Amino acid sequence: MTAKFKTNSNPSLTTEYNPLELEKEIRQFWEQNKTQQKLAKKLEENNRGILGYVEGPPTLNGIPHIGHARGRTMKDLRYRWKTMQGYFIPFWAGWDCQGLPVELEVEKLLGVKNKRELLERVGEERFIQECKKAIMKYHKEWVEVDRKLGVFMNQDKAYWTYLDSYIEREWQILKHAWDQGLLEEGHYVVAYCPGCQTSLSSAEVGYEDSYKEVEDPSLYFKFKLADSQNEFFLIWTTMPFTLITDTMLAVQPEAEYAKVNVNGETWIIVRQRVEPVMQELGIEKYEVTETVLGSSLEGKKYDYPFKDLIPKQAEFEQKHPLVHKVICEDFVDVNTATGVVHLSPGNGEEDFFAAQRRGVPIFAPFDDEVRFKADAGTFKDMFARDADKVVIEELRKKGLLVSAKTVRHVYPTCWRSHHKLVWLARKEYFLRTDKISAKVLEAAEKVSYFYDSSKNRFMSFLREGKPWCISRERVWGAPLPVWACGKCGAKTFVASKKELIERAREKPEGDFELHKPWVDRMTLKCNKCGGVMRREDFVLDTWHNSGASPYARFTDEEFEKFVPVDFLTEGIDQTRGWANTLLLEYVILTEKADPPYKSFLFQGLAQDAKGRKMSKSLGNVVEAGKLLEKYSADICRFYMLRKCSPVDFINFDLQELSRRSYQVLSTLYHLSRFFVQNSEYDNFNPAKHTLVWAENEHQLKPPDHWLLSNLQTAIESYTAKLETCEFNSALAVLEDFAIETLSRLYVPMVRKELWTDDPETLTRRLAVYAILWHALKTVTLLFNPVTPYLSEALYQKVYKKLDPKLPESVNFESWPLPEEKLRNRSLEENFQTLFKCVSLTYSARQKAKLKRRWPLSKVVVAASEKVCACLSSVEELFLELANVKNAEYAHEPLTGLPSEEWMQTVEDDIQIFLNVQRDEKLLGEGLMRDLARRVQALRKELGYMPSDVLDAVHIAELDEESVGLLEPYLKQMEELVRTRKIRLISSKDDVLQWHECQMDDKKILVAIS
Ligand SMILES: [Zn+2]
Ligand SMILES: [Zn+2]
């Protein structure tokens, strides 16, 4: 294994953190070393358990946007993390290839407007080739985004829903439904898209922002009571064309209805709506003459006005006693409109069931383009919604129109083409999922959803429990494997290609694929009458394709091993989509109340920086591929996970991306660089200089123990929050440890100890490196699921560089576990007190306008015994951080300032008195610190390594007084800035390269040689 291992080209960390460069290099490293493949193989062979996974297949009808990238980041996070914990996950890709979304995309590419034009101009055979071409084009884009984003998904083992092998397994699930009597043909009212010319499932209505504000007619009209002179029912509708298919009126039996006198006519309307309706119609003079119970209106006949235009309606009225009569129904809403509704069983679900219960015929004279057929008489060949205005005109002619306005309201449109949907009674194939609803709900209850809001949304959708219309009148899809006899109507189900060939009347020549038109050429012989059976001309709902994946994408053996899968995550819109169909099909397949997934995290969707939905029309869609050309994958990943909770909608803001997220990763980078440079200089050997070694050498100090203790807390809390999918809070914990605890607090406490090459303190320095190695390496591992590139880079260029025996990739490391023996809670508490007191001395300094690096003589702390004891236990550290020479403690509160020399600050029960008077010694040391800081900055600016020792530092143009103050501290300064000599000269010479430095109000010159 090591022989094949190739090291990266640049073994050191460059001065600047340049993530794009770094990621390119690491990607190359992974690809050359086949890291992803080796990792998967290693865990497949040796693991502590299997966590099943099935990819929620993206539809290959477009390129990935930032919302997809966010979801894929969460999937990859889980994969890398659980892999480090030792689990094997079949993290294999999958692609949704068929169905309406792909067909519409290809229609657009071919410049075809509708299905009829498609079949005439392009033909099924070529269309299917074009669909395959299109998905392959998009597939390339998706794989490239995965690659750039650093997603370790196995692309070689991807499943494709259009392959025969997949379709055959999908058919086997359907066979279970068929055998249980759950797959049946029926007339139902379905949502139908006139644009796509296919029906949709009820789950698709309301999917992905499909409700749009549209303008419709708002029509009040009246139907006359038969055998009356001037009594009318007043009715309201937004779909005038449904008057053509009207067969009944319905009222609420329990409600009171009023007879209202308007201009000598009597209008019947529910009592509680009289005033608002009259107001809306602008009728001021009216009178309620009588009220009756809704139930008393049952059976009343009304004059259907279009019998002359639609002879079929007259025929219905003659043949069926209930046609054009009033019925009572509880679903009639008396809080809107007039409380009298007209029923069109051919165009409404409730209307349909009301008619079916009474044996009233369903009148649905529509063709596939939603044009009226010959049965609609005068209206023949009109598109349904175009008939609206004709109906209004006819009502006006007959004196039945009361008011015709328009209304803007929210109405469901097709989620793909955004045509207004119409409801039509059609012959379709249904999965009778309504019959297994209880089982489905029970199964759904067993799943963990992490957040209540998404669970509630999912459960309330499932409770609708409607039959699932799975037939689509389209071309590019898995064919419905039902053949029907043209003679006797018998039906048969075919479960595989092999079975189809065996039963075919004529064997096909050569191979054929399980798609239209080839599969349609296969005819069977009817067992009952010997007639010819042809395939029912439907393809399956594409949601049925993806919903079959836990079974269809695996072999039987894999299915046993991996399903139910452990964890899935998809967008919140998938409550109506994939999460739903997975569940339904699995319950059908297993006949048990069990879910195919143990947990499901629904993600909030991605919006633009202003919180607007991303859409092509607004032009604010962030394409993942383009983004990742310019921006670092690590920073994008970190940003998307850190910014908000995964269930929240994320307002993706490019401005924010480069700020905090960059800073955090950059700090980790530079901290690691600081560590590797210093430790290499001192020949630190991680194999030898371990934590145990440092402990045995008695080299560990309170800050070290404190850091280690904090690290354990961070590991525990970070891991727990990953487990509950609180990714943003998890990263807050990790960020706090890396940036606050490690970089801002710990490193300053030990930096001075590292800033020397004194052989006498080498052991202590090595001990500090042991601590830093342990803490920083752990942080690097914890970051790996989030920022895999940076973690791998640091792993290679810091840890593996110092210890070549380490595994070949950070991904091969084990997930850190908190160690109880490194915990010290009282020390953590003491340090909290310490930092509080230090910060109080800072505020005292601020009041006195004294810089932190200027030493002061004394601090007095008046506080409880506990606080004082705690401070004196870490007094050395306290004095150093506060930059004070001496501390005194008082257990009693002190009143007032002893003199003007003192500055006081108070918080809770802690009083701090700081002596702010500085004598010559303190002034001199302070000046030395100021100068040292300038020199340090200059060293860095001029590109010296921290370990480089300078020949000399030259300082010119200091005034005499300053020179006098400074002189006693020159030795100390030489050590601090790592130089052999410091020269103070009165004026500059021309030999050296001088640099001007501003010191408070004075200017001085510094040169380095
Ligand atoms: Zn459509
Ligand atoms: Zn037959």
Side-chain angles (χ1 to χ4, degrees), residues 774-1003:
H774 181 79
L776 269 171
K777 179 165 172 262
T778 304
V779 166
T780 302
L781 299 189
L782 295 175
F783 261 108
N784 185 46
V786 180
T787 57
Y789 288 108
L790 178 59
S791 286
E792 186 74 274
L794 297 179
Y795 191 77
Q796 299 300 332
K797 293 163 191 254
V798 177
Y799 307 102
K800 201 151 164 60
K801 190 177 178 204
L802 291 171
D803 183 0
K805 286 207 188 88
L806 285 180
E808 67 175 74
S809 161
V810 65
N811 295 287
F812 290 54
E813 286 273 356
S814 295
W815 190 250
L817 293 171
E819 286 180 70
E820 206 43 49
K821 66 175 196 301
L822 294 177
R823 281 247 170 116
N824 187 337
R825 286 185 175 82
S826 66
L827 188 65
E828 284 192 38
E829 237 173 78
N830 283 355
F831 267 69
Q832 237 160 25
T833 308
L834 167 69
F835 292 133
K836 191 171 168 183
C837 293
V838 169
S839 119
L840 281 170
T841 65
Y842 289 164
S843 5
R845 274 172 182 275
Q846 225 164 23
K847 282 199 215 168
K849 297 193 168 59
L850 293 171
K851 288 182 191 164
R852 284 187 201 176
R853 57 178 175 273
W854 293 348
L856 295 175
S857 60
K858 194 180 213 173
V859 60
V860 178
V861 181
S864 66
E865 237 172 288
K866 197 180 161 208
V867 169
C868 293
C870 154
L871 278 183
S872 54
S873 77
V874 286
E875 186 174 282
E876 203 185 329
L877 203 55
F878 176 45
L879 294 178
E880 193 190 316
L881 294 175
N883 199 13
V884 176
K885 303 290 179 198
N886 274 299
E888 271 177 26
Y889 307 99
H891 298 162
E892 297 290 320
L894 303 176
T895 48
L897 288 171
S899 77
E900 280 178 5
E901 284 179 18
W902 297 84
M903 192 59 82
Q904 182 192 0
T905 43
V906 185
E907 198 188 315
D908 301 329
D909 54 350
I910 302 176
Q911 282 179 302
I912 296 277
F913 297 91
L914 192 64
N915 189 323
V916 294
Q917 208 62 25
R918 297 197 293 160
D919 60 11
E920 281 196 356
K921 274 164 95 181
L922 292 173
L923 285 170
E925 196 180 338
L927 179 62
M928 182 275 281
R929 293 278 185 95
D930 277 345
L931 278 169
R933 190 162 162 265
R934 304 288 148 176
V935 176
Q936 304 285 29
L938 192 59
R939 274 185 68 118
K940 210 171 165 186
E941 206 178 292
L942 298 178
Y944 287 93
M945 298 282 278
S947 47
D948 291 339
V949 179
L950 308 173
D951 270 344
V953 170
H954 317 263
I955 299 168
E957 290 180 7
L958 265 184
D959 59 57
E960 254 177 63
E961 193 197 345
S962 300
V963 171
L965 287 172
L966 192 61
E967 243 150 16
Y969 294 97
L970 286 179
K971 193 87 217 131
Q972 208 179 324
M973 184 168 161
E974 281 168 13
E975 268 175 33
L976 212 54
V977 301
R978 280 201 165 167
T979 180
R980 296 197 176 86
K981 195 167 64 193
I982 291 177
R983 278 178 68 223
L984 301 179
I985 46 180
S986 52
S987 61
K988 65 170 187 171
D989 53 39
D990 293 334
V991 189
L992 294 157
Q993 187 80 46
W994 291 95
H995 302 267
E996 211 175 79
C997 298
Q998 188 72 34
M999 291 271 294
D1000 298 325
D1001 51 346
K1002 290 174 226 159
K1003 252 186 214 141

Side-chain angles (χ1 to χ4, degrees), residues 485 487-490 526 528-529 531:
C485 174
K487 217 163 130 194
C488 76
C526 178
K528 287 198 182 130
C529 73

Side-chain angles (χ1 to χ4, degrees), residues 751-778:
R751 184 176 271 141
K752 231 168 75 184
E753 294 184 281
L754 302 180
W755 201 247
T756 161
D757 46 12
D758 186 351
E760 281 191 17
T761 57
L762 178 63
T763 322
R764 168 61 189 157
R765 290 204 296 282
L766 292 170
V768 172
Y769 299 139
I771 297 282
L772 281 174
W773 164 280
H774 181 79
L776 269 171
K777 179 165 172 262
T778 304

